Amino acid sequence: MNPSAEVSPQVLSSASGIVRIAVDCMGGDHGPSVTLPACQAFLAAHPQAELLLVGRPDALAAAQGWQRCAVVAASEIVEMDDSVEVALRRKKDSSMRVAISQVKPREDGVVAADACVSAGNTGALMAVSRYVLKTLDGIDRPAIATVMPNQKDGYTTVLDLGANVDCEPEHLLQFALMGSALVSAVEGKHNPSVGLLNIGEEAIKGSETIKKAGELLRSVANGGHLNFCGNVEGNDIFTGRADIIVCDGFVGNVALKTAEGLASMLSSFIKQEFTRNIFTKAAAIVALPVLNHFKNRVDHRRYNGAALLGLRGLVFKSHGSADAFAFEQALNRAYDAARNRLLDRVHDRIVETLQALPTAAPGGPQIPVAKTA
Amino acid sequence: MNPSAEVSPQVLSSASGIVRIAVDCMGGDHGPSVTLPACQAFLAAHPQAELLLVGRPDALAAAQGWQRCAVVAASEIVEMDDSVEVALRRKKDSSMRVAISQVKPREDGVVAADACVSAGNTGALMAVSRYVLKTLDGIDRPAIATVMPNQKDGYTTVLDLGANVDCEPEHLLQFALMGSALVSAVEGKHNPSVGLLNIGEEAIKGSETIKKAGELLRSVANGGHLNFCGNVEGNDIFTGRADIIVCDGFVGNVALKTAEGLASMLSSFIKQEFTRNIFTKAAAIVALPVLNHFKNRVDHRRYNGAALLGLRGLVFKSHGSADAFAFEQALNRAYDAARNRLLDRVHDRIVETLQALPTAAPGGPQIPVAKTA
C-alpha cells in the first residue's frame, strides 16, 4: 500500500469536510475499463471527494496524474466465481480486501478512507468485510440493503437481500434500525417508516418468526424508537407504502431477482413489439422520446449501490455487471452515506434502542444483549 | 341443492366426454355481474361443457333458460374479508362450500361436477376445500399453483403461493410432483422440468431446508420420476428456465406480489409518460397498436386461474378482482384440467414415486409414508 503524494491518509476526512472513498478498481465483470471512467466522472462532480484507487498499478496507469486521487497497490483479484474461502484465505492481497482495509480504523482511530466501494462478488465482499471490519456492537449479522423505485417517485429501501438466509425476530429488528439510519442519512428523511414483509397485512399472518418479529417491532415502535407501519406485501416494494421494508435474506433476494427478471422480460417484449415490422418501427421513432423518458425513469443503473450495514466501516456493493454510469451511482451513494455519517447513525440508533427498550416497553420482548464482535 | 332438469348429476362426466364445472357465482369482488357473463362466454366456446351455477337463485335469475346449465341453490356468501373460521364453521350453506361439495364423490363414486371454480378469498377456499374434500394419499399439504408468462412465450408454473408458510423438503417434493402433473395435464408437456427456487444456482446455496429439498429432488430425479433441473433464482420465473418452480408459500407469495406490484407500477409509469403533454399524447396515438399488442401479451387476466393441488377434487381459484374475461380464463383452466384427468395424474404420479423411490434410490432419502387424509 503506497498512497501517492496527492492525498494524505493522516487527515481525518470528517474533520476536513473531505470525503475519501476507497475503490476496488479490479472487481466486477469489467474491472478498470468501467471503474476508472466512473471514478473520473465522480471526481469531476464532487470537488470535496478524494479517491483511493485500489488494484494493480499497471492496470490503473490511466489514472496517473489525476487530482484528488491516489493508487493503492493490490496484487490479487477476487474473481466473480471465487468462493468465499478463496477470497478470505487465499487472496490476502486482493484489491477487494485492500480496499476494505482502508476503512478500518488504525490504532489511533484514524481511517485511510471513509467508505469503500466494490463490484466484486457479494458473498466474498460480505465475508471479507466482516472479517476485516467486524460487526458493530448490538448487531449480530450485517445485512445488504438496496433501493428500488416506487410509484411515489421515491425509493423503497429493502433489506436483507441475501446475507442471511434464516433470520430470528431480533435480526429483523436490527435490519429495521439499520435501514432507518441508512434512509435518514442518504435520503435525509427524518424517522422513515418501516414495514415488515409478509404475505398479508393482518398481524396474524405469516410464519412464527414473522409474527414474533411483528410483535418486537411494534414494541420498539411503542417506545418511540422506530416508525413501524406494520405488515406489508411484495407489491408494496413498489407502492411506496413504507420507506424501508425488512425481510430475511432469502425472501429479499427472491423478491429482488423476481423484479429484475420481470423488468428484463418486459423490456425485451417492448423492444420486440416495436421492431416487429416497418410500421411498428415507424411508431417507435415517433414514440422514442417518450419511451426514453420512461426508460430513464426506471433505469436500474440509477439505483445501483447496495449498502453492507452493521459493520464497523462503510462498504457499498455495486452490481457486478455495472457500467460506468451505474458504478458512479454506487460511488455517489457511498459518498452521501459517508458525508452524512451513516456509521455513527447506525451505531447511535442501535445503542439508543438497546438502552431504552427495557424501560420503554416494560414486560415487552428484549433485544438480546449487544455482542462485541 | 336442486339441479334443474337440463343436467343430470348421475352422468359420470368422464364417461360421456362432457366436462361439468361447478361455479361459485357469488364469490369475488363482483359476484354474478362478473361470473355470469363469464359463464355464458365459456359455454358458448365449449360445446362439451356443462355448468352448475351455485348461489342465491334470485341473484342468478339472468341464467334462466341457458342450455347445459343448472342453478344449485346456496343461501350464504363467503365475503372477501371473512375469516377462515367464519367460512368453515358459520357459513355452511355458502356458495363456496356448496360449489366445492359438487366435486366430492358420493358413496357410489359419482361426482356432480368434475371441477369447481371460485373467486372467493383464498384462505377460506383452501380451508373449506381441505375440509370438504380431504387431501390425496401421499400429500401432506395442498398447494396453490399459478402460471406466469415467460420470455420463451410460454408459462412458468409456480407453487406454492401462500397455502404453506413453512415447508419441509418432503412438501417441496410433493409440490414438484403435483406441479409436473398439472403442467402435463393442462399444457400437454411430457415430463416438464422442475426448478427449486433458491438464492443461487450452486447446490451449496440456501437454507438447510432448501439444501435438503435439493438432495431429495435430485434423488427422485435419479430414479426417473422427476425432470429436476436444479436450483433456479427469482428471475428464472420469467426466463422460462424451468416449466415449474417450487418454493414455500411465503416465498412464492412474495415473488408473485412483487411481480404484480412492479407490473402495476410500470404500467402506470407508461401511462403517465404518454399523457404528459400534447406531443406525448400524439405519440401515444401512433404507438397505440404496438402498445396494445404489448399489453395483450402481458395481460395478467390471461393467466388467471390458480389450481389448488393435492385435494381429492379439482378446485380452481380466480383472482377476487377478476373481470368477466379473467374469470372465463379460470373456467378454461379448470375445464382443461378436468378434461385431461388432472386428479388421476396427480394421484398416479404420487403413488408411482412413493412405490418406486426406495428401490430407485437405495440409501437415498425416503418420502414419508403416505398419510390417509
Side-chain angles (χ1 to χ4, degrees):
Chain A
M1 283 181 273
N2 174 30
S4 80
E6 278 116 354
V7 286
S8 100
Q10 287 81 1
V11 177
L12 241 185
S13 314
S14 48
S16 63
I18 296 289
V19 173
R20 193 179 304 142
I21 298 176
V23 185
D24 167 11
C25 289
M26 313 303 288
D29 297 343
H30 312 294
S33 69
V34 153
T35 55
L36 286 187
C39 287
Q40 196 168 23
F42 170 80
L43 283 170
H46 294 86
Q48 296 275 72
E50 294 178 352
L51 294 182
L52 299 179
L53 309 178
V54 185
R56 289 208 328 262
D58 58 314
L60 305 178
Q64 259 194 340
W66 290 5
Q67 292 297 303
R68 292 179 280 123
C69 199
V71 168
V72 178
S75 60
E76 292 169 306
I77 299 172
V78 173
E79 304 294 343
M80 293 309 273
D81 53 0
D82 272 347
S83 69
V84 164
E85 192 60 19
V86 167
L88 211 51
R89 311 261 167 255
R90 287 211 246 138
K91 294 189 170 173
K92 296 196 177 172
D93 194 38
S94 72
S95 57
M96 180 190 280
R97 180 149 174 180
V98 172
I100 293 167
S101 305
Q102 306 303 307
V103 302
K104 183 182 173 155
R106 295 182 313 209
E107 272 180 26
D108 56 1
V110 174
V111 290
D114 303 293
C116 154
V117 176
S118 172
N121 95 57
T122 312
L125 186 65
M126 180 54 98
V128 175
S129 297
R130 215 172 154 165
Y131 178 77
V132 170
L133 301 174
K134 316 299 177 205
T135 49
L136 285 169
D137 286 351
I139 299 293
D140 296 324
R141 300 185 187 180
I144 304 173
T146 197
V147 292
M148 300 203 219
N150 65 37
Q151 270 192 301
K152 293 184 176 164
D153 274 325
Y155 311 102
T156 305
T157 296
V158 184
L159 72 163
D160 173 46
L161 292 173
N164 309 280
V165 287
D166 290 307
C167 287
E168 296 303 317
E170 293 74 22
H171 301 135
L172 292 164
L173 170 61
Q174 291 166 17
F175 298 169
L177 296 170
M178 295 194 292
S180 297
L182 175 68
V183 170
S184 58
V186 175
E187 297 183 39
K189 267 191 193 164
H190 178 68
N191 213 14
S193 59
V194 177
L196 176 65
L197 190 57
N198 203 338
I199 60 170
E201 291 177 18
E202 308 84 353
I204 54 145
K205 289 273 186 176
S207 64
E208 284 312 306
T209 304
I210 291 293
K211 282 186 231 172
K212 281 187 198 150
E215 282 170 32
L216 184 58
L217 291 168
R218 254 183 298 282
S219 126
V220 173
N222 288 341
H225 293 277
L226 193 70
N227 179 7
F228 179 53
C229 64
N231 287 336
V232 297
E233 299 186 75
N235 54 313
D236 290 316
I237 295 172
F238 302 102
T239 60
R241 241 187 82 196
D243 296 311
I244 296 136
I245 293 183
V246 293
C247 54
D248 74 45
F250 194 100
V251 171
N253 189 282
V254 168
L256 177 72
K257 297 257 174 77
T258 299
E260 286 177 354
L262 176 58
S264 155
M265 180 183 78
L266 294 178
S267 139
S268 90
F269 279 4
I270 286 192
K271 233 175 251 164
Q272 281 173 21
E273 292 301 333
F274 274 106
T275 53
R276 195 174 282 280
N277 57 45
I278 192 159
F279 301 106
T280 61
K281 282 179 188 165
I285 293 168
V286 176
L288 200 63
V290 189
L291 292 174
N292 278 340
H293 204 271
F294 167 73
K295 205 174 139 193
N296 287 341
R297 197 164 163 188
V298 294
D299 186 353
H300 63 87
R301 301 179 306 161
R302 283 176 52 203
Y303 315 113
N304 188 37
L308 272 54
L309 295 172
L311 300 161
R312 295 172 184 262
L314 293 183
V315 180
F316 279 76
K317 151 92 184 120
S318 160
H319 240 285
S321 63
D323 63 8
F325 174 79
F327 195 80
E328 191 189 340
Q329 308 315 309
L331 293 172
N332 290 341
R333 289 188 67 78
Y335 177 84
D336 288 343
R339 200 168 47 102
N340 295 308
R341 303 181 309 103
L342 173 58
L343 205 57
D344 295 343
R345 287 181 192 241
V346 172
H347 175 262
D348 294 351
R349 190 110 196 187
I350 297 288
V351 169
E352 240 173 55
T353 310
L354 276 171
Q355 287 175 343
L357 194 65
T359 353
Q366 311 276 314
I367 304 193
V369 175
K371 269 188 358 185
T372 304
Chain B
M1 283 180 273
N2 174 31
S4 79
E6 278 115 355
V7 284
S8 103
Q10 287 81 3
V11 178
L12 241 185
S13 314
S14 48
S16 63
I18 295 291
V19 172
R20 195 180 302 141
I21 298 175
V23 185
D24 167 10
C25 288
M26 314 303 287
D29 297 343
H30 311 295
S33 69
V34 153
T35 55
L36 287 186
C39 286
Q40 198 169 22
F42 171 78
L43 282 169
H46 295 87
Q48 297 274 71
E50 295 178 351
L51 293 182
L52 298 179
L53 309 177
V54 185
R56 290 207 328 263
D58 59 314
L60 305 178
Q64 258 192 340
W66 289 5
Q67 292 297 302
R68 293 179 280 124
C69 199
V71 168
V72 178
S75 60
E76 293 170 304
I77 299 170
V78 174
E79 305 294 343
M80 293 309 274
D81 53 359
D82 274 348
S83 69
V84 165
E85 192 60 19
V86 165
L88 211 51
R89 311 262 167 253
R90 288 210 245 139
K91 294 188 170 173
K92 296 196 175 172
D93 194 38
S94 71
S95 57
M96 179 190 281
R97 180 149 173 180
V98 172
I100 293 166
S101 304
Q102 306 305 305
V103 301
K104 183 182 172 153
R106 295 181 316 208
E107 271 179 27
D108 56 1
V110 174
V111 290
D114 302 293
C116 154
V117 177
S118 173
N121 94 57
T122 313
L125 186 65
M126 180 52 98
V128 176
S129 298
R130 213 171 155 166
Y131 178 78
V132 170
L133 301 174
K134 316 299 178 206
T135 48
L136 286 168
D137 286 351
I139 299 294
D140 297 323
R141 301 183 186 181
I144 305 174
T146 198
V147 292
M148 300 201 218
N150 65 37
Q151 270 192 302
K152 293 186 177 162
D153 273 326
Y155 310 102
T156 305
T157 296
V158 184
L159 73 165
D160 172 48
L161 292 172
N164 309 282
V165 286
D166 289 307
C167 288
E168 296 302 317
E170 292 75 21
H171 302 134
L172 292 164
L173 169 61
Q174 292 167 17
F175 299 169
L177 295 171
M178 296 194 290
S180 298
L182 175 69
V183 170
S184 57
V186 175
E187 297 183 41
K189 267 190 193 165
H190 179 69
N191 213 15
S193 59
V194 177
L196 175 64
L197 190 56
N198 203 339
I199 59 171
E201 290 177 17
E202 309 84 354
I204 54 143
K205 288 273 185 175
S207 63
E208 284 312 307
T209 304
I210 291 294
K211 282 185 232 172
K212 281 187 196 150
E215 282 170 31
L216 184 57
L217 291 168
R218 253 183 299 280
S219 127
V220 173
N222 289 341
H225 294 276
L226 193 70
N227 179 5
F228 179 52
C229 64
N231 287 337
V232 297
E233 299 187 74
N235 55 313
D236 289 317
I237 296 173
F238 303 102
T239 60
R241 241 187 82 194
D243 295 312
I244 298 137
I245 293 184
V246 294
C247 55
D248 74 44
F250 193 100
V251 171
N253 189 281
V254 168
L256 177 71
K257 297 258 173 78
T258 299
E260 286 177 354
L262 176 58
S264 156
M265 180 183 80
L266 294 179
S267 139
S268 89
F269 279 4
I270 286 192
K271 235 175 249 162
Q272 282 172 22
E273 293 301 333
F274 274 107
T275 54
R276 196 175 281 280
N277 58 45
I278 192 158
F279 302 106
T280 61
K281 283 179 190 167
I285 294 170
V286 177
L288 200 64
V290 188
L291 291 174
N292 279 340
H293 204 272
F294 168 72
K295 204 174 139 192
N296 287 341
R297 196 165 164 190
V298 293
D299 186 353
H300 63 89
R301 300 179 308 159
R302 282 175 54 204
Y303 316 111
N304 188 38
L308 271 56
L309 295 172
L311 300 160
R312 293 171 184 264
L314 292 184
V315 181
F316 279 77
K317 150 91 183 121
S318 159
H319 240 284
S321 64
D323 63 9
F325 173 79
F327 195 80
E328 191 189 340
Q329 308 315 310
L331 293 172
N332 290 341
R333 288 187 68 79
Y335 177 85
D336 287 342
R339 201 167 47 103
N340 295 309
R341 303 181 310 102
L342 173 59
L343 205 56
D344 295 344
R345 287 181 192 242
V346 171
H347 174 262
D348 295 352
R349 190 111 197 186
I350 297 288
V351 169
E352 240 174 57
T353 310
L354 275 172
Q355 287 174 344
L357 193 64
T359 351
Q366 310 278 314
I367 304 192
V369 176
K371 265 184 12 182
T372 305

